[in-house]
Amino acid sequence: MENTLQFGETIREPDVRLLSDMKDVLADKEWLRSAGDFELYYMYRELSRTESDLQRIRKAGLRYDITVIPPARLGKEFVKTKGHYHPIVPGAKVSYPEIYQVLEGEAVYLLQKAEGESISDVVVIEAGKGDVVIVPPGYGHISINRSETTLKMANWVCTSFSSVYEPIRKAGGGAYYLLEEGFVPNSNYLSVPEIRRFEPVEPELLGLERGEDMYELVEDLEKLRFLKEPQEFEEFFGEVFEKN
């Protein structure tokens, strides 16, 4: 198939996100009514270069995925992921985090922290090839391809939970929509704060060299323990935000 991905020894067909899957979270409803339906982006889950890597990753309770987002305009809005939150870690008071790395193209990550029907914090991070972005506990997130080229990005995440899509779907999208003229607040929320702009994290925080593929963390998955036990890494997440 056209969108088959070969990653080392792994050959994977994608989960496909269609425009119809996104109808509740888009800004341009007028355009949507006559847009028809088509494929937007492709998600390749549980990748590994070798069978031994796969068993090591599974034993660690982690998963390595790749998402491919071709350039597109959804009416006035740039193509984006559906957006989701992560649930609270059982027995803790924080939610699961996630990390992303841009493999090709350019990404705009929108992170938002909810308090009821209001948003207490919004962070935007622009990232290019090789950049690493950490989604800390407590934040929902949306990935946007604003460029004219395909965005290919990887993520490491814990396998102990399912993502929570309903709050963003119910609100008609994230706290802001990225349109041609820039970010526009989503009026479905009671209130949204001004955007704070952060830089990608220093790869050294994860034990990586600059530009190194974060898949290589498969050789030392202990460095990703913060994805499973974020309650034990409060200082680490504080350091991530203090550097911005």
Side-chain angles (χ1 to χ4, degrees), residues 40-207:
L40 287 184
Y41 60 94
Y42 309 93
M43 298 164 285
Y44 303 87
R45 304 189 191 279
E46 199 177 32
L47 297 173
S48 65
R49 288 181 180 155
T50 66
E51 181 63 25
S52 60
D53 279 0
L54 178 60
Q55 296 310 315
R56 189 183 305 123
I57 294 168
R58 284 177 171 174
K59 185 176 180 180
L62 298 172
R63 196 180 75 224
Y64 181 87
D65 307 325
I66 287 177
T67 300
V68 176
I69 308 177
R73 295 290 179 89
L74 309 181
K76 299 177 181 178
E77 189 174 11
F78 291 98
V79 65
K80 64 183 181 181
T81 58
K82 196 170 185 179
H84 62 263
Y85 290 91
H86 296 166
I88 299 294
V89 177
K93 296 181 180 180
V94 297
S95 64
Y96 290 97
E98 190 167 0
I99 58 172
Y100 284 87
Q101 183 177 42
V102 176
L103 303 178
E104 297 176 10
E106 301 174 358
V108 179
Y109 295 98
L110 187 145
L111 282 56
Q112 63 183 57
K113 189 172 187 178
E115 291 186 3
E117 296 183 5
S118 297
I119 298 296
S120 61
D121 190 28
V122 177
V123 171
V124 166
I125 304 170
E126 298 185 19
K129 184 175 181 178
D131 286 337
V132 175
V133 171
I134 294 180
V135 180
Y139 284 79
H141 54 99
I142 295 169
S143 305
I144 306 166
N145 184 3
R146 184 178 55 188
S147 74
E148 298 300 322
T149 60
T150 295
L151 167 61
K152 183 178 181 181
M153 60 186 185
N155 66 279
W156 280 107
V157 68
C158 177
T159 57
S160 298
F161 68 90
S162 296
S163 297
V164 181
Y165 291 89
E166 183 60 17
I168 290 177
R169 187 203 68 78
K170 185 178 178 181
Y176 286 84
Y177 302 111
L178 182 50
L179 311 183
E180 295 177 2
E181 62 266 32
F183 282 102
V184 175
N186 180 350
S187 61
N188 292 316
Y189 292 93
L190 290 179
S191 63
V192 295
E194 293 294 319
I195 290 173
R196 298 195 294 152
R197 291 186 178 269
F198 282 12
E199 296 294 325
V201 300
E202 295 295 330
E204 291 80 5
L205 280 175
L206 299 174

